[in-house]
Amino acid sequence: MSTRHDQAVPARSASYAGVTGAYTVDPVHSTIGFSVRHAMVSRVHGRFGRFEGLLLLDGSDPSRSEAYVSVQTDSMDTGAEERDAHLRGPDFFDAATFPLMSFRSTRVVPLGDDGFRVMGALRIKDVELPLDLRTVFGGAGEDAHGRYRAGFEGTATLRRSDWGLAWNTPLGAGGVLIGDKVTLALDISAVRADLAPAA
């Protein structure tokens, strides 16, 4: 999350300089995951299986880059169908009413060493609030099929109750079943949409 000590770093990584272009997120080679404390003793991990995204990257001035991601809320998987059905229901995401959650960047701050602070807005159900992603550029280059890819890893921490996902139940020994703090972890591979040759 953000701190008051974050400062933009003018110098950029040379490896990022060549990535300028529009990219679509490849869901087959990307992961949008989350984890939350369970029963006060461990963490449950899950992921979303269906999502799409657009990255508009500016290698010469990373602060001008933009990111847009939408996730189908009924595509979550924590490895337990009964729990997943509860998460999709009205107590949490209410996927039948709100099938998508989304993130859009509002500012990108280079931090040096291929790191970026991606500031934006996360919308879940009918609540949109600021969210900061700590992102690291993983590299770029052509894959085995000649497609140019760029990779990023990102993390963020949020309180689910801020977005209205406040359901819980107390435990007999004290505490609650589900923690309020959720950690997001993104591993993104995006493919550049090369421009068609001029006629």
mmCIF file of all heavy atoms in Angstrom, residues 1 8 18 33 48 56 77 79 82 84 87 101 115 122 137 149 153 159 194:
data_model
loop_
_atom_site.group_PDB
_atom_site.id
_atom_site.type_symbol
_atom_site.label_atom_id
_atom_site.label_comp_id
_atom_site.label_asym_id
_atom_site.label_seq_id
_atom_site.Cartn_x
_atom_site.Cartn_y
_atom_site.Cartn_z
ATOM 1 N N MET A 1 0.840 -1.188 0.000
ATOM 2 C CA MET A 1 0.000 0.000 0.000
ATOM 3 C C MET A 1 0.883 1.249 0.000
ATOM 4 O O MET A 1 2.081 1.187 0.189
ATOM 5 C CB MET A 1 -0.929 0.010 1.225
ATOM 6 C CG MET A 1 -1.872 -1.187 1.255
ATOM 7 S SD MET A 1 -3.066 -1.141 -0.106
ATOM 8 C CE MET A 1 -4.113 0.185 0.388
ATOM 9 N N ALA A 8 9.060 9.591 -6.754
ATOM 10 C CA ALA A 8 9.343 9.220 -8.137
ATOM 11 C C ALA A 8 10.852 9.217 -8.352
ATOM 12 O O ALA A 8 11.579 10.049 -7.821
ATOM 13 C CB ALA A 8 8.674 10.195 -9.099
ATOM 14 N N GLY A 18 12.029 -0.370 -24.178
ATOM 15 C CA GLY A 18 11.517 -0.851 -25.458
ATOM 16 C C GLY A 18 10.120 -1.419 -25.437
ATOM 17 O O GLY A 18 9.685 -2.010 -26.427
ATOM 18 N N GLY A 33 -4.432 -13.746 -7.976
ATOM 19 C CA GLY A 33 -4.678 -14.536 -6.788
ATOM 20 C C GLY A 33 -4.884 -13.684 -5.550
ATOM 21 O O GLY A 33 -4.650 -12.477 -5.547
ATOM 22 N N PHE A 48 -8.696 -16.120 -9.389
ATOM 23 C CA PHE A 48 -9.793 -15.909 -10.335
ATOM 24 C C PHE A 48 -9.378 -16.490 -11.678
ATOM 25 O O PHE A 48 -8.267 -16.249 -12.152
ATOM 26 C CB PHE A 48 -10.109 -14.423 -10.469
ATOM 27 C CG PHE A 48 -10.720 -13.824 -9.246
ATOM 28 C CD1 PHE A 48 -9.925 -13.215 -8.279
ATOM 29 C CD2 PHE A 48 -12.085 -13.886 -9.045
ATOM 30 C CE1 PHE A 48 -10.482 -12.664 -7.145
ATOM 31 C CE2 PHE A 48 -12.659 -13.327 -7.904
ATOM 32 C CZ PHE A 48 -11.848 -12.724 -6.950
ATOM 33 N N LEU A 56 -1.391 -0.074 -21.451
ATOM 34 C CA LEU A 56 -0.872 0.915 -22.392
ATOM 35 C C LEU A 56 0.459 1.392 -21.817
ATOM 36 O O LEU A 56 0.491 2.211 -20.906
ATOM 37 C CB LEU A 56 -1.861 2.073 -22.549
ATOM 38 C CG LEU A 56 -3.270 1.682 -23.000
ATOM 39 C CD1 LEU A 56 -4.180 2.904 -23.043
ATOM 40 C CD2 LEU A 56 -3.242 0.982 -24.352
ATOM 41 N N ASP A 77 -11.754 -19.487 -7.330
ATOM 42 C CA ASP A 77 -11.516 -20.888 -6.980
ATOM 43 C C ASP A 77 -10.580 -20.931 -5.779
ATOM 44 O O ASP A 77 -9.421 -20.525 -5.872
ATOM 45 C CB ASP A 77 -10.901 -21.632 -8.174
ATOM 46 C CG ASP A 77 -10.635 -23.100 -7.882
ATOM 47 O OD1 ASP A 77 -11.043 -23.584 -6.809
ATOM 48 O OD2 ASP A 77 -10.015 -23.761 -8.727
ATOM 49 N N GLY A 79 -10.494 -23.954 -4.063
ATOM 50 C CA GLY A 79 -10.301 -25.382 -3.871
ATOM 51 C C GLY A 79 -11.388 -26.057 -3.061
ATOM 52 O O GLY A 79 -11.293 -27.258 -2.787
ATOM 53 N N GLU A 82 -18.041 -25.607 -1.784
ATOM 54 C CA GLU A 82 -19.021 -25.013 -0.870
ATOM 55 C C GLU A 82 -18.598 -23.609 -0.454
ATOM 56 O O GLU A 82 -19.409 -22.681 -0.424
ATOM 57 C CB GLU A 82 -19.193 -25.899 0.361
ATOM 58 C CG GLU A 82 -20.263 -25.398 1.323
ATOM 59 C CD GLU A 82 -20.485 -26.349 2.490
ATOM 60 O OE1 GLU A 82 -19.908 -27.453 2.485
ATOM 61 O OE2 GLU A 82 -21.235 -25.972 3.412
ATOM 62 N N ASP A 84 -16.548 -21.651 -2.181
ATOM 63 C CA ASP A 84 -16.599 -20.790 -3.359
ATOM 64 C C ASP A 84 -18.019 -20.326 -3.636
ATOM 65 O O ASP A 84 -18.241 -19.167 -4.022
ATOM 66 C CB ASP A 84 -16.040 -21.529 -4.577
ATOM 67 C CG ASP A 84 -14.556 -21.792 -4.459
ATOM 68 O OD1 ASP A 84 -13.907 -21.186 -3.577
ATOM 69 O OD2 ASP A 84 -14.036 -22.616 -5.236
ATOM 70 N N LEU A 87 -18.747 -17.518 -1.324
ATOM 71 C CA LEU A 87 -18.064 -16.298 -1.751
ATOM 72 C C LEU A 87 -18.753 -15.639 -2.941
ATOM 73 O O LEU A 87 -18.769 -14.413 -3.069
ATOM 74 C CB LEU A 87 -16.611 -16.610 -2.100
ATOM 75 C CG LEU A 87 -15.699 -16.982 -0.928
ATOM 76 C CD1 LEU A 87 -14.357 -17.474 -1.441
ATOM 77 C CD2 LEU A 87 -15.513 -15.799 0.009
ATOM 78 N N MET A 101 -15.682 -7.258 -11.330
ATOM 79 C CA MET A 101 -14.981 -6.253 -10.547
ATOM 80 C C MET A 101 -13.856 -5.727 -11.429
ATOM 81 O O MET A 101 -13.409 -6.417 -12.355
ATOM 82 C CB MET A 101 -14.449 -6.821 -9.228
ATOM 83 C CG MET A 101 -13.369 -7.856 -9.339
ATOM 84 S SD MET A 101 -12.833 -8.378 -7.673
ATOM 85 C CE MET A 101 -11.452 -9.451 -8.090
ATOM 86 N N GLY A 115 10.837 -1.229 -10.398
ATOM 87 C CA GLY A 115 9.651 -1.194 -9.555
ATOM 88 C C GLY A 115 8.768 0.001 -9.864
ATOM 89 O O GLY A 115 9.239 1.068 -10.272
ATOM 90 N N LEU A 122 -10.165 0.443 -7.448
ATOM 91 C CA LEU A 122 -10.710 -0.908 -7.506
ATOM 92 C C LEU A 122 -12.208 -0.839 -7.234
ATOM 93 O O LEU A 122 -12.633 -0.285 -6.209
ATOM 94 C CB LEU A 122 -10.029 -1.802 -6.476
ATOM 95 C CG LEU A 122 -10.601 -3.221 -6.342
ATOM 96 C CD1 LEU A 122 -10.361 -4.026 -7.624
ATOM 97 C CD2 LEU A 122 -9.984 -3.936 -5.130
ATOM 98 N N PHE A 137 8.523 -4.895 -12.891
ATOM 99 C CA PHE A 137 8.640 -5.296 -14.291
ATOM 100 C C PHE A 137 9.553 -6.512 -14.379
ATOM 101 O O PHE A 137 10.690 -6.493 -13.934
ATOM 102 C CB PHE A 137 9.203 -4.138 -15.104
ATOM 103 C CG PHE A 137 9.532 -4.459 -16.534
ATOM 104 C CD1 PHE A 137 8.562 -4.957 -17.388
ATOM 105 C CD2 PHE A 137 10.807 -4.249 -17.027
ATOM 106 C CE1 PHE A 137 8.859 -5.245 -18.710
ATOM 107 C CE2 PHE A 137 11.117 -4.520 -18.345
ATOM 108 C CZ PHE A 137 10.141 -5.023 -19.188
ATOM 109 N N ARG A 149 6.043 -10.116 -25.600
ATOM 110 C CA ARG A 149 5.403 -10.148 -24.294
ATOM 111 C C ARG A 149 6.132 -9.266 -23.290
ATOM 112 O O ARG A 149 7.344 -9.069 -23.386
ATOM 113 C CB ARG A 149 5.386 -11.576 -23.726
ATOM 114 C CG ARG A 149 4.479 -12.541 -24.463
ATOM 115 C CD ARG A 149 4.543 -13.933 -23.840
ATOM 116 N NE ARG A 149 3.635 -14.854 -24.512
ATOM 117 C CZ ARG A 149 2.382 -15.081 -24.131
ATOM 118 N NH1 ARG A 149 1.912 -14.464 -23.031
ATOM 119 N NH2 ARG A 149 1.619 -15.921 -24.794
ATOM 120 N N GLU A 153 4.867 -8.465 -11.984
ATOM 121 C CA GLU A 153 4.327 -9.040 -10.759
ATOM 122 C C GLU A 153 3.850 -7.897 -9.875
ATOM 123 O O GLU A 153 4.496 -6.849 -9.804
ATOM 124 C CB GLU A 153 5.391 -9.854 -10.020
ATOM 125 C CG GLU A 153 5.846 -11.089 -10.782
ATOM 126 C CD GLU A 153 6.899 -11.868 -10.013
ATOM 127 O OE1 GLU A 153 7.098 -11.576 -8.811
ATOM 128 O OE2 GLU A 153 7.524 -12.761 -10.618
ATOM 129 N N ARG A 159 -8.519 -4.011 2.902
ATOM 130 C CA ARG A 159 -9.480 -4.497 3.884
ATOM 131 C C ARG A 159 -10.805 -4.731 3.170
ATOM 132 O O ARG A 159 -11.414 -3.794 2.659
ATOM 133 C CB ARG A 159 -9.638 -3.493 5.035
ATOM 134 C CG ARG A 159 -8.375 -3.365 5.874
ATOM 135 C CD ARG A 159 -8.622 -2.594 7.160
ATOM 136 N NE ARG A 159 -7.414 -2.509 7.960
ATOM 137 C CZ ARG A 159 -6.967 -3.471 8.770
ATOM 138 N NH1 ARG A 159 -7.670 -4.594 8.891
ATOM 139 N NH2 ARG A 159 -5.857 -3.316 9.451
ATOM 140 N N ASP A 194 0.615 -5.702 -32.061
ATOM 141 C CA ASP A 194 1.386 -5.020 -33.100
ATOM 142 C C ASP A 194 0.466 -4.374 -34.112
ATOM 143 O O ASP A 194 -0.548 -4.940 -34.513
ATOM 144 C CB ASP A 194 2.322 -5.998 -33.805
ATOM 145 C CG ASP A 194 3.439 -6.472 -32.884
ATOM 146 O OD1 ASP A 194 3.903 -5.678 -32.056
ATOM 147 O OD2 ASP A 194 3.821 -7.646 -32.991
#
